[in-house]
Amino acid sequence: GAIELRFSNDMVTTPPYLIIGLTAADIEMVISEVDEAAATREEEILPADPAIVRQLEGVASCKLSSHEALLLQRSRLECPICLAPFAAGHSILCLPCGRIEQSHVGSSSEACLGHLGHVKCLKASFARRAGCPLCRINLPTSSEGAASAALGQAKRNLQHLKLQAELLQSMSKAS
């Protein structure tokens, strides 16, 4: 069957029951449909620079530990592409966007951990559009200064996630 996309305040909403059982091809189709719909409302959509995506994956991706996954679950975060919750063993990619704020462990504030998603899902999205699927801020082009700053921020976002997970782990051991 067809997947229906509804637009509300420039955000795409998909009923959760449509997400269950989606294949990689279904996810590709949804990304393509969103990009096509956005193209009618925006300027030209360009894919991300593959070199930047590779560099980003090199410095800001990891396989989630059980405590990192628990932290993301407590924060009610899910992949912005496939909408699946994060679990231990999933490979995630932290993006350079998303403001990191001082927060307590388990905060429901998405901003405290920056923007992130499954590596596979984000790479498929970046092949079509250079923007973050949450805030639409574009990844930098190969301009060295901007790329270096973005990669540094993505790496700090990943380090912040790991630190928060370590705090959660030490708190659970203490109780």
Side-chain angles (χ1 to χ4, degrees):
I3 295 176
E4 177 184 346
L5 296 176
R6 287 180 266 151
F7 294 90
S8 165
N9 293 336
D10 212 25
M11 296 295 289
V12 177
T13 57
T14 304
Y17 64 86
L18 290 177
I19 300 304
I20 298 171
L22 285 179
T23 65
D26 293 330
I27 292 170
E28 292 282 332
M29 184 180 71
V30 169
I31 292 169
S32 178
E33 288 179 12
V34 168
D35 286 346
E36 287 172 20
T40 63
R41 298 184 317 242
E42 295 180 7
E43 68 281 350
E44 182 181 7
I45 295 175
L46 300 173
D49 179 342
I52 297 294
V53 174
R54 281 191 302 278
Q55 289 175 343
L56 186 61
E57 189 176 2
V59 298
S61 67
C62 74
K63 200 168 266 201
L64 290 175
S65 70
S66 58
H67 284 90
E68 291 163 347
L70 180 60
L71 173 65
L72 295 175
Q73 290 163 2
R74 284 188 177 178
S75 299
R76 294 186 174 94
L77 291 176
E78 57 190 19
C79 177
I81 304 296
C82 70
L83 302 180
F86 296 106
H90 285 187
S91 293
I92 61 138
L93 181 64
C94 290
L95 301 177
C97 50
R99 220 174 33 164
I100 293 186
E101 300 170 348
Q102 293 294 336
S103 65
H104 63 282
V105 173
S107 165
S108 61
S109 169
E110 180 179 307
C112 71
L113 295 171
H115 293 163
L116 50 96
H118 292 119
V119 171
K120 188 166 117 177
C121 295
L122 289 174
K123 285 174 76 173
S125 176
F126 291 148
R128 290 183 171 78
R129 181 189 186 100
C132 169
L134 292 169
C135 68
R136 296 182 177 233
I137 291 176
N138 282 339
L139 291 178
T141 61
S142 56
S143 156
E144 282 193 32
S148 178
L151 292 171
Q153 183 60 53
K155 186 175 182 177
R156 285 189 295 279
N157 289 355
L158 178 61
Q159 290 168 339
H160 183 73
L161 166 66
K162 290 187 169 295
L163 178 62
Q164 289 273 0
E166 287 174 19
L167 289 172
L168 177 64
Q169 183 177 13
S170 64
M171 288 171 54
S172 65
K173 283 181 182 177
S175 22

